[in-house]
Amino acid sequence: MIEVKNISKSYKLNKKQMLKEKSNNKTKIAVLDLSFEAKENEIFGLLGPNGAGKTTTLRCIATLLKPTAGEIKVQGYDTVKQSKEVRQRICFLTNELKLDEHFSPKYTMEYFGKLYGLDDNLINSRRNMLFDYFGINEFQNMKIGELSTGMKQKLSIAVSLVHDPQVIIFDEPTNGLDIITAKAVTDYLKELKKQGKIIIISTHIMSVAEKLCDKVAIIIDGEIKSRGTVKEIIKENQSEDLEDAFFEIYNCAIMGEI
Amino acid sequence: MLSVIIKKELKRVFTDRRLVFSAFILPALSIFIMYSLMGVMVEKLQDDIVENIPTVYIQNSPEGFKSFFEESKFISEVDYIYIDEIQEIEIIKQEIRDGKIDLLVEFQPDFEKGINEYKGTGEIPVINTYSNSSKEYSSYAKNVIFGDLLYEYENLLLGKRVGDINYINVFDIDKNNENKDLADEKKVVGKGLSSFIPLLISILLFAGAMSVGMDAVAGEKERGTMATLLVTPVKREVIALGKIISLAIVSVISALSFVVGIVGSLPFASSFLAPGSGDFDISALAFGVSDFTKLFLVLLSLVSIYVCLIILLSIMAKTVKEAGAYVSPCYMVVLFLAVLTGFGAEQLVSWKYAIPIYGNISAIKDIFMFQLTWSHFAINFASSLVLSSILVYIITKLFNSEKVMLAK
């Protein structure tokens, strides 16, 4: 289980950043007092516009960032005090995470497998299984730089799953992907859910969230404005679909600020 | 886990044919070709100067000089023209400036009379020479050919003055002394090499690590591959150390390839690297176990300082281009310190061995001159160790800093 308890994350801004943010405040609050839980056998979605704090939240769960306040526990391990234990159990995927294009998919799998402390036999069996699923086998000895964008993304997913993690954190899983690769990715996330994994994704595409997520939290300006199953949120806002419900919540939030 | 990172970093470098060619083969090849070519050209230039027949105008030549000159061995080495006309002088001087004529030797009018009537007081006769020091042929005609010729002519006149030419030779220096230079042969060769090898190695070690180091850290950040590495359970300290050690290995191999290039060029380059000393006999440079130990450890400490500096500056950059902007000034400082070692005393005062980089390069020089004491070595090694440890500490801190590692 992932337990996010009252986390906040703020950054200090330098003068250049203050100008860029058009702010007089030296501190930028990325997320404020966020709490939610994600459990086994479900896909949890963080929904929100760009800059809402989705990536910051996921990075905090993935131990890349330390929350300024609050705590996060992954499978009972604290992300700050027991970050190594947490990293052993998670995979964190984003379109910004890249693989060295000089190496082959085969070597890259071996390398990351070793970094996760796996032995050669386990690496081989995981590689065969994942490469089969994603159709990477015939490209496994080519340089990653020579692969198509879709194949690179599939390889990134395969590499991040080499250690068979219990928790999958995926920032914008279908962003920038062609429709075929996007389908392959979402299908695999459903497959992982069936296997009992905890999956947490972020997205600003409501149709993806509606099809994929069991529970969602809508984040606007770093704060959770609504939380529940997709059906609950649609019903709560008397909307036709999740997109309408999102805009309802978004407009309320903006009006509240004004 | 450390070995996994090191292996990957080395594989990244050594399986990239372009990188191998540009970091290891090209530098060695270019330094070999450059030094060999310069050596051959300097030798050719020297031969050309010796073989050239300079054109020399001799004004107001006394009869005695004419007969001495025409009977001497120098007659075949110059193309000479006797002149008396004063009005031609300015034209000849202009032609010397233009490089068309090499030398004008002007005897004072009544030169011979002045010699013969000289009684030990008053002014002695004068010979003026006009040459062009910017022209090799002209300088050689004046300094070598006419330098020797006029010296012998003076001796002839002195002999006549005292009655017997044998009387003017009062003593010989080192006539039959075959062991006049008591210097150790290995120290002579070592001194020759110490003038340029430490300087080159120290600069090349930095240059070799620079591009690879910037790519290994700032490049990974720029490409987004660093973040992939950071979400693995590997400790940040291990990632940092893996990068430092692999870069040190790359730097040493790159410097070794340069040294191979330099050593390979020595047979052709001796005339340019050590003019007048003849061929370098590297075999005379008999390093003992202690010399090799000192050299290895001093080089290692220098490499660790360089590598830590490059990685430290690269971590703070978001792109390779930005890293270049930070590392280049550091390279300039290394160049400056390396050049500075050429101007110090023959042996430094003890505390100067504690100055990072400067002390290391001076220690390498001392090793080549067989004069690095164990205490100076210890001062240098300890100070390098302290500095490297501080730099490694800062690097690992920065690897753990989310602001530095995930900055956009």
Side-chain angles (χ1 to χ4, degrees):
Chain A
M1 189 162 76
I2 298 173
E3 300 160 88
V4 178
K5 292 178 194 167
N6 309 103
I7 65 150
S8 297
K9 178 71 185 173
S10 53
Y11 301 99
K12 281 192 178 139
L13 299 179
N14 58 31
K15 279 185 184 171
K16 201 176 157 190
Q17 288 165 325
M18 279 165 69
L19 269 176
K20 201 178 164 189
E21 296 279 335
K22 293 174 187 165
S23 163
N24 291 325
N25 207 332
K26 283 184 179 174
T27 310
K28 178 187 162 67
I29 298 167
V31 291
L32 185 66
D33 201 25
L34 235 63
S35 298
F36 60 87
E37 284 176 2
K39 292 176 182 161
E40 282 80 2
N41 294 305
E42 69 176 30
I43 300 179
F44 187 93
L46 285 175
L47 314 186
N50 288 343
K54 304 185 299 288
T55 302
T56 302
T57 309
L58 294 188
R59 282 183 170 186
C60 286
I61 300 170
T63 76
L64 286 172
L65 298 178
K66 293 185 179 93
T68 322
E71 66 168 13
I72 303 170
K73 288 203 167 165
V74 175
Q75 305 280 73
Y77 294 102
D78 188 284
T79 54
V80 177
K81 292 173 194 150
Q82 296 159 299
S83 60
K84 197 187 164 193
E85 297 294 334
V86 173
R87 286 203 291 268
Q88 193 73 51
R89 285 161 179 81
I90 62 164
C91 85
F92 179 55
L93 262 161
T94 148
N95 290 326
E96 284 173 21
L97 291 183
K98 304 271 167 51
L99 300 170
D100 196 325
E101 304 210 333
H102 174 75
F103 294 121
S104 68
K106 190 179 175 191
Y107 174 77
T108 306
M109 282 295 271
E110 280 168 18
Y111 173 58
F112 279 93
K114 282 178 184 163
L115 291 184
Y116 281 101
L118 311 184
D119 63 37
D120 289 345
N121 288 337
L122 193 53
I123 292 172
N124 284 339
S125 68
R126 288 292 296 165
R127 188 183 61 219
N128 291 340
M129 198 273 281
L130 290 163
F131 278 13
D132 272 346
Y133 185 88
F134 288 108
I136 304 172
N137 268 328
E138 61 179 303
F139 310 105
Q140 64 175 310
N141 292 315
M142 281 169 69
K143 281 191 175 178
I144 294 172
E146 293 165 1
L147 302 180
S148 66
T149 313
M151 193 54 73
K152 280 181 199 167
Q153 185 66 16
K154 284 180 188 174
L155 178 65
S156 290
I157 298 169
V159 167
S160 65
L161 294 171
V162 66
H163 58 302
D164 196 14
Q166 190 57 30
V167 178
I168 288 103
I169 305 162
F170 211 148
D171 191 13
E172 303 281 2
T174 56
N175 221 12
L177 297 183
D178 68 86
I179 190 162
I180 310 285
T181 316
K183 177 85 169 64
V185 170
T186 51
D187 284 351
Y188 196 67
L189 287 175
K190 285 177 191 166
E191 171 67 29
L192 290 168
K193 182 181 123 178
K194 273 188 208 163
Q195 290 172 18
K197 312 277 185 193
I198 306 164
I199 300 156
I200 178 163
I201 66 163
S202 75
T203 184
H204 62 273
I205 305 167
M206 297 302 141
S207 56
V208 170
E210 202 163 354
K211 279 181 191 166
L212 209 57
C213 299
D214 301 294
K215 284 183 189 162
V216 295
I218 292 175
I219 305 185
I220 293 162
D221 284 340
E223 292 181 65
I224 291 183
K225 300 292 181 188
S226 184
R227 191 171 48 188
T229 62
V230 173
K231 275 183 189 168
E232 282 167 0
I233 289 178
I234 293 171
K235 198 178 164 189
E236 227 171 69
N237 292 280
Q238 296 165 350
S239 308
E240 284 184 11
D241 55 23
L242 189 61
E243 191 166 306
D244 284 346
F246 172 78
F247 281 115
E248 193 67 36
I249 295 162
Y250 183 77
N251 288 336
C252 282
I254 298 293
M255 292 297 280
E257 270 180 26
I258 294 165
Chain B
M1 211 52 79
L2 186 62
S3 66
V4 176
I5 307 247
I6 294 171
K7 269 187 207 163
K8 177 252 169 185
E9 293 293 330
L10 294 179
K11 190 179 165 82
R12 176 73 186 81
V13 174
F14 289 104
T15 55
D16 189 334
R17 267 182 255 162
R18 271 177 299 181
L19 206 58
V20 168
F21 184 74
S22 66
F24 306 112
I25 298 171
L26 188 66
L29 204 63
S30 53
I31 208 149
F32 171 76
I33 293 171
M34 194 173 74
Y35 273 25
S36 302
L37 213 63
M38 282 169 83
V40 169
M41 281 168 74
V42 167
E43 214 166 285
K44 196 165 170 273
L45 181 68
Q46 284 165 352
D47 291 348
D48 186 45
I49 292 166
V50 174
E51 282 165 17
N52 174 62
I53 307 274
T55 305
V56 180
Y57 277 70
I58 305 168
Q59 192 191 23
N60 303 328
S61 174
E63 285 308 313
F65 177 76
K66 276 185 188 170
S67 55
F68 165 74
F69 174 48
E70 284 161 20
E71 283 167 23
S72 76
K73 61 179 180 181
F74 300 105
I75 190 77
S76 60
E77 292 180 26
V78 290
D79 191 1
Y80 61 97
I81 297 144
Y82 295 123
I83 53 163
D84 295 320
E85 299 293 326
I86 289 176
Q87 59 265 40
E88 281 183 33
I89 293 295
E90 284 313 312
I91 300 166
I92 291 168
K93 283 182 182 172
Q94 187 54 47
E95 295 210 335
I96 289 174
R97 281 187 203 104
D98 297 343
K100 290 173 187 165
I101 295 171
D102 299 304
L103 181 65
L104 168 65
V105 180
E106 178 194 46
F107 284 85
Q108 178 189 308
D110 300 327
F111 178 85
E112 220 155 28
K113 195 180 167 199
I115 298 276
N116 294 335
E117 291 175 1
Y118 183 72
K119 299 292 179 206
T121 54
E123 288 192 3
I124 57 172
V126 175
I127 300 171
N128 292 319
T129 63
Y130 301 93
S131 62
N132 183 345
S133 64
S134 68
K135 303 280 178 190
E136 298 287 350
Y137 293 158
S138 180
S139 296
Y140 186 76
K142 188 213 163 180
N143 297 327
V144 181
I145 303 177
F146 268 76
D148 290 352
L149 175 70
L150 293 176
Y151 174 72
E152 285 186 21
Y153 179 55
E154 189 179 21
N155 280 349
L156 175 83
L157 297 179
L158 263 175
K160 279 184 185 166
R161 188 173 284 171
V162 296
D164 188 339
I165 196 160
N166 292 326
Y167 278 129
I168 64 160
N169 198 7
V170 183
F171 53 78
D172 285 324
I173 301 169
D174 287 332
K175 192 178 178 183
N176 297 316
N177 181 7
E178 287 175 5
N179 301 319
K180 59 188 174 191
D181 188 0
L182 296 176
D184 198 336
E185 197 190 350
K186 70 176 185 180
K187 288 195 177 178
V188 174
V189 176
K191 191 172 164 50
L193 292 174
S194 75
S195 62
F196 69 98
I197 291 267
L199 183 98
L200 269 177
I201 291 181
S202 57
I203 295 168
L204 301 177
L205 280 172
F206 195 92
M210 207 161 79
S211 60
V212 178
M214 290 192 300
D215 189 74
V217 181
E220 285 227 39
K221 279 174 81 176
E222 189 177 0
R223 290 190 294 270
T225 50
M226 183 65 90
T228 315
L229 198 58
L230 297 181
V231 288
T232 65
V234 183
K235 277 188 172 180
R236 306 282 166 89
E237 287 81 357
V238 174
I239 300 174
L241 270 180
K243 298 231 173 239
I244 291 169
I245 294 171
S246 53
L247 187 55
I249 295 170
V250 168
S251 161
V252 169
I253 295 175
S254 170
L256 274 177
S257 88
F258 270 106
V259 172
V260 167
I262 294 167
V263 171
S265 70
L266 284 182
F268 311 99
S270 57
S271 58
F272 134 72
L273 291 172
S277 75
D279 288 341
F280 267 127
D281 183 8
I282 290 287
S283 60
L285 193 75
F287 271 3
V289 176
S290 71
D291 300 314
F292 272 120
T293 311
K294 285 178 194 164
L295 185 63
F296 175 74
L297 292 174
V298 173
L299 280 175
L300 199 68
S301 55
L302 186 62
V303 165
S304 36
I305 295 173
Y306 283 170
V307 165
C308 289
L309 281 174
I310 292 167
I311 290 189
L312 180 67
L313 295 170
S314 300
I315 300 173
M316 292 194 277
K318 296 180 194 84
T319 61
V320 175
K321 198 176 164 190
E322 194 183 338
Y326 298 156
V327 176
S328 298
C330 185
Y331 187 39
M332 292 297 152
V333 173
V334 168
L335 275 176
F336 174 74
L337 289 172
V339 171
L340 209 63
T341 58
F343 298 100
E346 194 137 280
Q347 188 149 27
L348 298 181
V349 288
S350 297
W351 68 267
K352 286 191 178 176
Y353 287 94
I355 303 171
I357 303 170
Y358 178 79
N360 297 66
I361 303 169
S362 300
I364 300 171
K365 280 184 85 165
D366 283 358
I367 293 169
F368 274 92
M369 290 160 80
F370 298 89
Q371 63 180 26
L372 182 69
T373 62
W374 279 105
S375 61
H376 287 163
F377 165 78
I379 292 169
N380 178 251
F381 192 72
S383 83
S384 304
L385 203 66
V386 169
L387 178 65
S388 302
S389 307
I390 294 169
L391 291 173
V392 168
Y393 177 76
I394 300 171
I395 289 169
T396 51
K397 280 273 161 206
L398 290 177
F399 260 87
N400 276 305
S401 159
E402 60 188 49
K403 199 176 169 188
V404 172
M405 297 311 283
L406 299 169
K408 279 191 182 175

